[in-house]
Amino acid sequence: MKWLELKVPPVLLLALLAAGMYGLARVLPAWTFAVPARAVAGVALAGLGGAVGLAGVVAFRRSRTTVNPHTPGKASSVVTRGVYRWTRNPMYLGLLLALGGWAVFLANAAALAGLPAFVASMNRFQIGPEERILSAKFGAPYASYLRQVRRWF
């Protein structure tokens, strides 16, 4: 399935999984559980995701490198400042947190399956290929960064 690498926009994957999570919650209402203030909690988690993702975009813009997930080979530098000190993929982590907010809002155990599906898909088809390309382009400095900073958080 190498042909899927770097092909599906992460935001599209988020939308597809969010729709699937909603469908599962509707089809399996017995799997619903109580979440106090679920709307507030869901929006707060999604908002945190938005802030983390935006911090990643800002750091890339300040370093004048591409934010396009389809063209990691066009990166002009290894960004290690700001939020990139704690996570190598803050934009993807932000999407995961937003999806987590949606899962909290849905309050359905079946819908929670969207979270590991997002991580697995991103690791296989987006992050892995990005890391191979960036390793080839930036060599030792990028390899050092990979050893020092976790992929997700």
Side-chain angles (χ1 to χ4, degrees):
M1 296 187 51
K2 195 170 180 74
W3 59 273
L4 270 177
E5 290 183 354
L6 302 174
K7 297 291 191 268
V8 178
V11 173
L12 176 60
L13 177 63
L14 170 91
L16 292 171
L17 287 172
M21 291 164 66
Y22 177 77
L24 285 172
R26 299 282 293 176
V27 170
L28 299 168
W31 291 33
T32 299
F33 53 87
V35 176
R38 71 185 180 117
V40 172
V43 168
L45 189 55
L48 175 62
V52 169
L54 183 60
V57 171
V58 167
F60 265 33
R61 293 285 188 212
R62 284 186 177 154
S63 294
R64 296 180 187 193
T65 193
T66 183
V67 296
N68 185 339
H70 299 294
T71 59
K74 291 185 178 179
S76 60
S77 64
V78 177
V79 180
T80 60
R81 294 179 304 232
V83 70
Y84 287 91
R85 292 177 293 182
W86 300 290
T87 175
R88 294 194 312 247
N89 299 289
M91 291 176 248
Y92 304 150
L93 177 58
L95 294 176
L96 177 63
L97 291 169
L99 199 60
W102 179 236
V104 167
F105 178 77
L106 293 173
N108 184 282
L112 292 173
L115 302 176
F118 181 80
V119 171
S121 180
M122 290 300 294
N123 281 341
R124 170 61 183 89
F125 299 111
Q126 188 68 40
I127 297 171
E130 283 179 359
E131 289 178 347
R132 281 194 311 272
I133 291 166
L134 295 173
S135 291
K137 183 168 186 161
F138 296 111
Y142 188 69
S144 175
Y145 178 66
L146 292 179
R147 286 190 301 275
Q148 293 173 13
V149 178
R150 295 174 60 96
R151 183 178 269 182
W152 286 94
F153 51 87

